[in-house]
Amino acid sequence: MSGMASDHSNSSQEEYIPHYLQKEDPFASKLSREADIIAGFYLTIIGILSTLGNGYVIFMSSKRKKKLRPAEIMTVNLAVCDLGISVVGKPFSIISFFSHRWMFGWIGCRWYGWAGFFFGCGSLITMTAVSLDRYLKICHLSYGSWLKRHHAFICLAIIWAYATFWATVPFAGVGSYAPEPFGTSCTLDWWLAQASVAGQAFVLSILFFCLLFPTAVIVFSYVKIILKVKSSTKEVAHYDTRIQNSHILEMKLTKVAMLICAGFLIAWIPYAVVSVWSAFGRPDSVPIQFSVIPTLLAKSAAMYNPIIYQVIDCKFACCRSGGLKAKSSLKKSRAYTISAHRDSAAMNETQLE
C-alpha cells in the first residue's frame, strides 16, 4: 500500500506543470491593462517615497557616522537594503506593468528575482540582529554592555554573506527564479515543490532559514523585552539622571526596531502565505487577480521604515525638548524662590536696624 501511495505521489509530481510552462509566453500579463497601469502608478509612488526616505536616512546618518550606536548602524544597513530594492528592483517591475508584460526575458527575470530575495533576506536578517541587540542591551546588561561598534560591523559582514548565500543557492541547480502567475514580476520558483522531493527540500529550507527562524528570534526577543520593561520601569526611576537618559535612548531605539519589524512582517506575511500555498497546496486555486495583491503589499515594505524612524525620532526630540524646558523652568523657579527669600531677609534686617 505504501509503495502504491509513493508511486501515486511521484506520478502526481511528474504530472504537475508549473504555470510558466503551460503557455508559450510566460511573461505576458494575465491582468487587464487598467489593472497593470494602476499597479504601475502604485509602485512608482512607493519607489519614489522609498528612495527619498531611505536616501535621507543614509545621508543624515553619514553626517554623524562616527557617533552612530550599534543599533543605529543596523538601522542604516536596513535603509541600504530598502534603497537597494527600490533602485535595483522596482524599475523593472514598473516598466513591465506599464508595458503590460515582463520586458526583460529570462535573464532579467532571474536577476530581478535574485535582487529582490537578496535585499529582502538582508532586511529580515538585519532586523533579527537588531532584535538580538535590543534583547541583550535591555534584558542582559552584563552581556549587552560589551557590544561595540566593531561588533556591529562584523555582524553586517555576516548578514551580507548570509543573504548572498541563500539568494545564490538557486543558481547552483537546487532551485530557480520564475515569473509570477500574473506575468509582470519574478520571484523564487515556489512551484518546484509541486514537481519533486528536491524542490520541496529547497522550498522548506528557504522558508525555515529565511523566514520562520528569523521571525521566531524577533518575536522571542521583543516578548522578553516587553516583560523586562514592565518589571524594571520602577527600578529605573530610582537611578540618577544619566542612567535614566540612557534608558530613554535605549527604549527609543527599541520602539523603532519593534515598529520596523512589525511593518516588515505585516507586509510580507500575506505574500509568504500565498507562496507556501503555491508550493504545498493547490497553486491553481489562487486567483491571479488575488495573487498580485500580496506581491504589491510586500513591495511597499521598503517605504515604511524611514517613516517609522522619523516619527519616533520626532516624538523623542519633542519629549526631550519638553523635558529640557521643564528643567529650565524648574531652575528658574528655584532661582526666583531663592532670590525672593534673600530679598525678604534683607528687608527684615533693615527694619530691625
Side-chain angles (χ1 to χ4, degrees):
M1 293 289 291
S2 61
M4 292 176 63
S6 62
D7 291 341
H8 176 72
S9 176
N10 292 332
S11 62
S12 63
Q13 288 178 342
E14 291 175 359
E15 290 174 359
Y16 177 76
I17 300 175
H19 64 88
Y20 54 85
L21 296 178
Q22 294 177 3
K23 298 182 180 180
E24 295 182 0
D25 187 2
F27 299 122
S29 176
K30 314 304 186 297
L31 303 174
S32 65
R33 185 171 294 275
E34 292 77 11
D36 276 335
I37 292 174
I38 293 173
F41 276 115
Y42 170 81
L43 289 180
T44 301
I45 295 171
I46 293 295
I48 293 173
L49 293 177
S50 175
T51 302
L52 294 176
N54 289 291
Y56 176 78
V57 171
I58 295 170
F59 172 74
M60 295 302 294
S61 300
S62 65
K63 296 175 68 174
R64 51 185 294 270
K65 56 186 176 182
K66 293 184 179 179
K67 297 182 180 180
L68 293 176
R69 302 161 68 91
E72 292 174 312
I73 293 173
M74 293 296 175
T75 302
V76 174
N77 190 65
L78 187 61
V80 170
C81 292
D82 292 339
L83 185 64
I85 292 175
S86 302
V87 173
V88 176
K90 283 190 172 59
F92 286 81
S93 55
I94 291 171
I95 293 172
S96 297
F97 273 114
F98 281 125
S99 301
H100 198 50
R101 63 173 287 106
W102 178 259
M103 298 295 294
F104 306 98
W106 278 103
I107 294 177
C109 180
R110 293 187 178 99
W111 159 251
Y112 177 85
W114 180 90
F117 185 54
F118 171 72
F119 288 115
C121 181
S123 295
L124 183 57
I125 303 304
T126 299
M127 285 184 285
T128 306
V130 170
S131 69
L132 285 174
D133 173 77
R134 299 291 85 210
Y135 170 69
L136 292 173
K137 283 285 177 68
I138 294 174
C139 298
H140 299 280
L141 295 177
S142 58
Y143 293 97
S145 60
W146 62 266
L147 290 173
K148 307 299 181 184
R149 282 168 58 92
H150 67 275
H151 293 113
F153 290 114
I154 293 172
C155 188
L156 290 185
I158 296 173
I159 290 170
W160 288 109
Y162 192 92
T164 301
F165 173 78
W166 286 108
T168 310
V169 160
F171 293 129
V174 180
S176 182
Y177 294 99
E180 300 266 18
F182 51 88
T184 47
S185 181
C186 293
T187 184
L188 278 168
D189 193 347
W190 302 103
W191 302 271
L192 285 174
Q194 299 280 348
S196 65
V197 175
Q200 292 177 357
F202 163 72
V203 171
L204 287 173
S205 299
I206 291 291
L207 287 173
F208 178 78
F209 289 104
C210 299
L211 180 63
L212 297 179
F213 178 69
T215 303
V217 173
I218 291 171
V219 172
F220 167 81
S221 298
Y222 289 123
V223 167
K224 298 293 286 185
I225 287 170
I226 292 170
L227 295 176
K228 180 68 176 179
V229 168
K230 285 185 176 180
S231 63
S232 63
T233 302
K234 294 181 180 179
E235 298 176 5
V236 175
H238 299 291
Y239 294 151
D240 59 25
T241 306
R242 183 179 175 184
I243 295 177
Q244 289 180 5
N245 291 338
S246 176
H247 179 75
I248 291 172
L249 180 58
E250 294 295 343
M251 291 311 302
K252 172 222 169 184
L253 295 173
T254 303
K255 288 179 181 179
V256 171
M258 289 178 68
L259 288 175
I260 286 175
C261 291
F264 184 90
L265 293 176
I266 290 171
W268 278 95
I269 283 177
Y271 180 79
V273 171
V274 173
S275 299
V276 170
W277 183 255
S278 298
F280 300 102
R282 295 176 55 195
D284 298 333
S285 65
V286 179
I288 293 176
Q289 291 78 8
F290 176 77
S291 67
V292 72
I293 296 175
T295 302
L296 295 177
L297 180 62
K299 293 179 187 298
S300 67
M303 180 188 68
Y304 303 148
N305 299 340
I307 296 175
I308 293 170
Y309 186 81
Q310 292 304 316
V311 168
I312 295 293
D313 199 45
C314 289
K315 286 184 178 180
F316 177 73
C318 292
C319 293
R320 185 170 54 187
S321 62
L324 291 174
K325 289 178 181 178
K327 287 182 179 178
S328 62
S329 63
L330 181 60
K331 288 181 179 178
K332 289 179 180 178
S333 63
R334 286 178 178 174
Y336 177 78
T337 304
I338 292 171
S339 62
H341 178 72
R342 286 177 178 173
D343 292 341
S344 62
M347 290 176 64
N348 290 333
E349 289 177 359
T350 303
Q351 290 174 358
L352 288 172
E353 292 177 354

